[in-house]
Amino acid sequence: QTDVCESADWYNSKFIVSMASNLNMTRTPDVHFISEARTEGTKFVVLSPDFSMVAKYCDEWIPIQAGQDTALWMAANHVILKEYDIDRQVPYFIDDVKRDTDLPFLV
């Protein structure tokens, strides 16, 4: 809903998640980039409690309930960190984490 990137960048994406935003209503001039990206093979997922106008043309609709969004993203972050940073140790990443982040204090 408050993207940092320009909406035209959606066309260059391979996976787009829309969460708590009905793009057809809030980004009407830009929503065509989603449909154009989908014709190029981009997967589009909508996280929303209701089957909204934008959910009708997504690849996957996840009907989350109020308050479940945090748990969902915590689970996604867990999988990303486990599969790409714990199971697959990369010396550059480990050095960067130790030097430039507060991640060691969070573990």
Side-chain angles (χ1 to χ4, degrees):
Q1 193 167 0
T2 55
D3 297 328
V4 176
C5 64
E6 182 179 331
S7 302
D9 286 338
W10 295 343
Y11 183 76
N12 299 319
S13 300
K14 298 298 174 210
F15 191 85
I16 300 172
V17 176
S18 173
M19 181 172 160
S21 177
N22 189 344
L23 299 173
N24 293 18
M25 298 297 289
T26 60
R27 306 288 290 265
T28 306
D30 301 329
V31 78
H32 69 92
F33 290 115
I34 296 279
S35 60
E36 291 173 16
R38 288 198 65 233
T39 61
E40 294 296 314
T42 300
K43 298 298 176 200
F44 183 46
V45 175
V46 173
L47 305 171
S48 174
D50 61 335
F51 195 75
S52 63
M53 291 169 57
V54 74
K56 69 182 179 183
Y57 59 89
C58 67
D59 294 301
E60 187 77 33
W61 170 54
I62 302 175
I64 60 172
Q65 300 300 315
Q68 289 181 338
D69 51 346
T70 302
L72 177 87
W73 287 117
M74 285 176 62
N77 286 329
H78 171 76
V79 170
I80 291 168
L81 288 172
K82 182 168 179 348
E83 291 182 3
Y84 291 98
D85 299 327
I86 294 173
D87 293 345
R88 185 182 63 120
Q89 299 278 321
V90 176
Y92 175 81
F93 177 77
I94 293 170
D95 182 54
D96 183 58
V97 164
K98 288 178 181 176
R99 236 178 338 105
D100 299 327
T101 72
D102 62 356
L103 186 59
F105 297 110
L106 300 175
V107 178

